[in-house]
Amino acid sequence: MERNNLYPIFLKTKNLQVLIVGGGFVAEEKLTFLLKSSPDACVTMVSPMFRSGTVNLSKKGNVSLVEDVYDKKYLEGKHIVVATTDIPEVNVKVWEDCRAQAKLVNVADNPPYCDFYMGGIVTKGNVKVAISTNGKSPTTAKRLRQFFEEVLPENIDDLVKNLNEFRKTIKGDFEEKVETLNEFTKGLIEKKES
């Protein structure tokens, strides 16, 4: 049975430099979801043209638009790169340049050229759930995102904040604190008997 071997992480994109190569619909979609999840992300976009929606979106965040064709000089200082052009040769060139410089890269809709995927994300205050289908079905990730948006209670952020305050009052070493919190929160996942 095939399994998803991806390792999920949550990046502080405010501290990282992101490059998006392309200015079309896919680039705009990637920027939209990035800024929705991380409004303080530092993003540079390089493309000979940009959709008007991308231009408007860039004004709401820390986004620089560079009207130019891709050149590997734009990788300088970047940590994460997303290639979204409709020219496969350009996307492969971006991937090759990123591999040579040990930069994380995602070539949109081309899993063999991806170090990471931009999955579905649900955010409720401090709680964030990321969903991955291992690049197999973005539609399934979208549906799962919609499901979790419905089932996660709106007040879950209050619970997280309260548990954080409770955690600060617990005495003992790390193991004792974990055991106390585990016991205290056990009721969150226990199924009710009918």
Side-chain angles (χ1 to χ4, degrees), residues 84-104:
T84 68
T85 77
D86 57 0
I87 307 168
E89 297 79 23
V90 172
N91 292 336
V92 170
K93 177 71 172 134
V94 172
W95 179 81
E96 289 170 346
D97 291 344
C98 287
R99 292 279 45 82
Q101 296 184 36
K103 296 185 185 291
L104 293 176

Side-chain angles (χ1 to χ4, degrees), residues 11-80:
L11 300 170
K12 296 179 178 179
T13 56
K14 181 180 180 180
N15 303 334
L16 301 172
Q17 295 294 321
V18 179
L19 174 67
I20 298 177
V21 180
F25 178 77
V26 176
E28 186 174 314
E29 184 179 68
K30 298 292 184 185
L31 179 65
T32 298
F33 288 114
L34 178 60
L35 293 181
K36 180 181 178 189
S37 184
S38 301
D40 57 359
C42 299
V43 183
T44 301
M45 297 183 75
V46 175
S47 176
M49 58 68 66
F50 295 101
R51 294 170 49 89
S52 60
T54 302
V55 173
N56 292 333
L57 190 58
S58 72
K59 295 174 184 171
K60 298 176 186 172
N62 186 9
V63 181
S64 301
L65 302 180
V66 179
E67 288 192 28
D68 197 2
V69 295
Y70 169 73
D71 186 284
K72 70 179 175 181
K73 70 182 179 187
Y74 291 114
L75 296 179
E76 188 173 329
K78 302 301 184 275
H79 302 100
I80 300 170

